[in-house]
């Protein structure tokens, strides 16, 4: 680019012995010429491009309760990240692209493919059961896109996808608890109540049900080692309408403890029929089935006394790496904003984007997928759901999160409250009360 011709000639005259300018004027002109010569290079430097983060969630369909906190969680995260994420290469805007899986594994795979191939996401996050998480992770593994997943026990996530413990996966990393933790928090409840220790399994023919019921890696051998007698009547089909045969079998076997991992509509249907048909186990402890307040509200008082694993609770001593708010403050903000009661998914939705932002912050080049993957592998972050560090196992690509025992009781602020009744797996989370048998 040409400099101002008059200024150039003035400098040349000064240097060649022409009438001298003042030193100050000469420096001013020289500086102007230098600035003009470098301006094009400065102007040509592009601002960092947006980093696209894909998120697949079951916002409609049978698993929609798992996506209930999305609207609030995404609004909070987008507000926090509106200024971008600072990295050594600049400040990178974050664009979050959300797709609804409609609670269908096929649809989850389809929209994940759209995010990868059409939207060109740099990083994917996903949760909400194996039916939602696994197809998305498989698409990412196939297409070389780094993916962080959660809210699926690690066994159905890892082995359900054909994972080899010796090799693991290349592009997909997972954080949540496992079946072994379920056994611990379930039995922490059962051991505090008088029963005949006969456990009936209520398992669907789906990813969770098949993983939990696996005769080698699932719940039965673990419970048997602890002295419980197991009755497994086989798998029922998801969205089955009539549970009479199962209920009769449990009654015939004298089952006093019922355990399983059905989706909410299946459990509600089963439990309503069980009460009508006089099946009265002393303890019912389920994963996933009624983890959400709206499910409890829809069942009414027949839900009082139901127990479960508790993924996340406002009383946990954790805080957000993005905002600094505590678990309790996040729950209070959610309730004040939405008018709805908190549930465990709230903390995990927030944590996915804590991890995404942290990965972008630390990556050598956030626009390069291999660089993002390296940052995921090196993660060591305290989040609102606890510490995340993939170097500690229990399996390649897997990090475990704290888990406690919970039970639904009559509430004070809300109609029903989910309280902590056992913390053998996570003593840093306080117990609110001892468990009670189901009141009939």
């Amino acid at each position: 680019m040409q400099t101002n011709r008059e200024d150039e000639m003035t400098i040349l005259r000064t240097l060649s012995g022409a009438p001298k300018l003042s030193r100050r004027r000469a420096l001013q002109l020289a500086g102007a010429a230098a600035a003009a010569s470098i301006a094009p290079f400065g102007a040509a430097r592009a601002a960092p491009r947006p980093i696209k983060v894909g998120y697949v969630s079951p916002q409609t369909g049978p698993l929609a309760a798992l996506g209930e906190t999305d609207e609030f969680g995404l609004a909070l995260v987008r507000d926090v990240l509106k200024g971008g994420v600072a990295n050594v290469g600049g400040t990178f805007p974050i664009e979050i692209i959300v797709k609804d899986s409609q609670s269908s594994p096929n649809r989850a795979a389809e929209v994940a493919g759209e995010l990868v191939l059409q939207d060109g996401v740099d990083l994917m996050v996903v949760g909400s059961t194996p039916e939602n998480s696994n197809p998305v992770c498989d698409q990412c593994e196939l297409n070389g896109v780094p993916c962080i997943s959660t809210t699926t026990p690690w066994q159905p996530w890892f082995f359900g996808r054909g994972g080899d413990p010796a090799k693991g996966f290349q592009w997909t990393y997972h954080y949540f608890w496992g079946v072994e933790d379920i056994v611990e928090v379930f039995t922490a409840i059962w051991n505090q109540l008088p029963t005949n220790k006969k456990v009936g399994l209520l398992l669907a023919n789906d990813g969770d049900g098949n993983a939990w019921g696996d005769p080698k890696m699932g719940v039965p051998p673990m419970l048997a080692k602890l002295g419980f007698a197991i009755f497994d009547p086989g798998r029922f089909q998801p969205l089955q309408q009539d549970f009479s045969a199962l209920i009769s079998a449990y009654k015939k076997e004298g089952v006093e403890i019922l355990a399983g991992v059905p989706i909410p509509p299946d459990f509600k249907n089963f439990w309503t029929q069980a009460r009508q048909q006089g099946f009265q186990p002393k303890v019912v402890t389920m994963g996933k089935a009624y983890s959400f307040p709206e499910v409890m509200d829809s069942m009414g008082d027949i839900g009082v006394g139901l127990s479960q694993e508790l993924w996340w609770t406002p009383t946990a001593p954790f805080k957000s790496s993005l905002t600094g708010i505590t678990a309790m403050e996040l729950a209070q903000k959610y309730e004040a904003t939405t008018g709805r009661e908190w549930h465990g998914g709230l903390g995990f939705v927030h944590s996915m984007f804590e991890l995404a932002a942290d990965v972008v912050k630390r990556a050598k080049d956030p626009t390069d997928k291999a660089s993002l993957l390296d940052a995921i592998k090196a993660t060591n972050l305290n989040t609102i759901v606890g510490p995340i560090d993939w170097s500690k196992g229990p399996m390649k690509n897997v990090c475990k999160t704290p888990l406690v025992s919970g039970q639904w009781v009559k509430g004070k602020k809300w109609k029903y409250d989910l309280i902590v009744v056992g913390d053998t797996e996570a003593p840093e989370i306080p117990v609110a009360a001892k468990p009670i048998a189901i009141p009939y």
Side-chain angles (χ1 to χ4, degrees):
M1 183 176 179
Q2 294 183 340
T3 60
N4 184 283
R5 184 67 180 167
E6 181 181 350
D7 287 345
E8 289 182 357
M9 294 305 296
T10 303
I11 296 171
L12 288 172
R13 285 196 301 271
T14 302
L15 296 174
S16 62
K20 292 184 178 181
L21 295 174
S22 69
R23 173 181 171 81
R24 179 178 180 183
R25 179 59 176 158
L27 290 173
Q28 287 175 337
L29 292 171
S37 70
I38 66 171
F41 298 96
R45 180 180 294 176
R49 73 162 175 83
I51 303 301
K52 295 182 179 181
V53 180
Y55 175 44
V56 179
S57 170
Q59 299 184 340
T60 58
L63 300 176
L66 288 158
E68 183 193 66
T69 65
D70 283 350
E71 183 178 356
F72 168 86
L74 288 166
L76 177 62
V77 167
R78 282 176 170 142
D79 183 62
V80 172
L81 298 178
K82 62 186 177 184
V85 172
N87 176 284
V88 291
T91 298
F92 288 82
I94 303 297
E95 180 183 351
I96 301 170
I97 307 173
V98 183
K99 298 281 187 179
D100 178 13
S101 71
Q102 301 172 5
S103 302
S104 163
N106 291 336
R107 180 63 179 166
E110 180 182 345
V111 297
E114 292 174 3
L115 286 166
V116 170
L117 301 174
Q118 296 178 19
D119 297 300
V121 298
D122 301 285
L123 175 65
M124 190 85 77
V125 295
V126 64
S128 305
T129 81
E131 284 66 41
N132 194 72
S133 299
N134 289 10
V136 175
C137 291
D138 287 342
Q139 285 289 328
C140 291
E141 193 74 22
L142 178 65
N143 290 285
V145 175
C147 178
I148 298 172
S149 58
T150 189
T151 54
T152 294
W154 71 260
Q155 284 93 341
W157 178 85
F158 190 91
F159 296 112
R161 298 174 55 220
D164 181 345
K167 297 179 180 178
F169 297 103
Q170 181 178 357
W171 292 96
T172 48
Y173 282 74
H174 189 73
Y175 66 107
F176 209 46
W177 36 264
V179 174
E180 71 281 12
D181 304 299
I182 280 288
V183 169
E184 174 62 36
V185 300
F186 278 21
T187 57
I189 296 169
W190 305 344
N191 288 333
Q192 296 184 65
L193 297 169
T195 70
N196 62 4
K197 304 191 80 171
K198 184 167 285 189
V199 181
L201 299 181
L202 179 65
L203 301 173
N205 184 22
D206 60 15
D208 274 336
N210 292 327
W212 284 41
D214 187 279
K216 294 182 178 179
M217 301 291 293
V219 166
M222 298 181 194
L223 289 177
K225 287 181 180 179
L226 296 174
F228 291 91
I230 312 302
F231 173 61
D232 185 354
R235 308 294 163 261
F236 68 86
Q237 294 305 309
L239 302 179
Q240 179 174 312
Q241 295 301 305
D242 186 0
F243 288 93
S244 298
L246 276 178
I247 293 167
S248 295
Y250 294 137
K251 292 168 69 175
K252 182 178 179 181
E253 291 293 324
V255 166
E256 291 189 353
I257 302 172
L258 192 66
V261 61
I263 60 175
D266 282 342
F267 179 79
K268 180 184 177 182
N269 194 8
F270 166 85
W271 191 231
T272 300
Q273 293 178 36
R275 296 293 293 258
Q276 291 170 347
Q277 296 176 34
F279 176 44
Q280 297 186 340
K282 293 182 178 179
V283 189
V284 175
T285 313
M286 297 281 154
K288 186 172 69 179
Y290 38 76
S291 298
F292 315 104
E294 64 269 28
V295 178
M296 282 297 300
D297 290 342
S298 71
M299 287 194 293
D301 286 352
I302 66 171
V304 173
L306 295 174
S307 51
Q308 63 170 82
E309 87 292 0
L310 185 48
W311 326 338
W312 179 85
T313 171
T315 60
F318 307 130
K319 65 180 181 180
S320 167
S321 61
L322 274 179
T323 65
I325 62 173
T326 65
M328 182 62 73
E329 289 168 341
L330 179 63
Q332 290 172 340
K333 186 176 181 67
Y334 173 77
E335 293 181 344
T337 302
T338 67
R340 298 193 296 266
E341 189 175 2
W342 68 272
H343 70 66
L346 175 64
F348 277 90
V349 168
H350 187 83
S351 70
M352 284 189 282
F353 294 98
E354 285 186 79
L355 288 162
D358 178 65
V359 166
V360 172
K361 177 182 177 181
R362 291 183 293 103
K364 290 182 179 179
D365 178 5
T367 66
D368 175 62
K369 292 181 175 61
S371 181
L372 290 170
L373 180 63
D374 288 341
I376 291 174
K377 294 177 182 177
T379 295
N380 185 1
L381 185 68
N382 290 321
T383 74
I384 201 134
V385 300
I388 306 298
D389 180 352
W390 276 288
S391 70
K392 298 181 178 180
M395 192 71 64
K396 289 183 177 181
N397 308 89
V398 174
C399 167
K400 294 213 295 186
T401 53
L403 188 67
V404 292
S405 312
Q407 187 169 45
W408 286 98
V409 298
K410 287 286 187 74
K412 296 179 181 178
K413 178 180 178 181
W414 304 98
K415 189 172 183 181
Y416 306 105
D417 286 339
L418 181 56
I419 63 170
V420 178
V421 294
D423 64 353
T424 55
E425 283 264 298
E428 67 272 25
I429 299 175
V431 170
K434 291 183 177 182
I436 60 170
I438 294 177
Y440 292 103

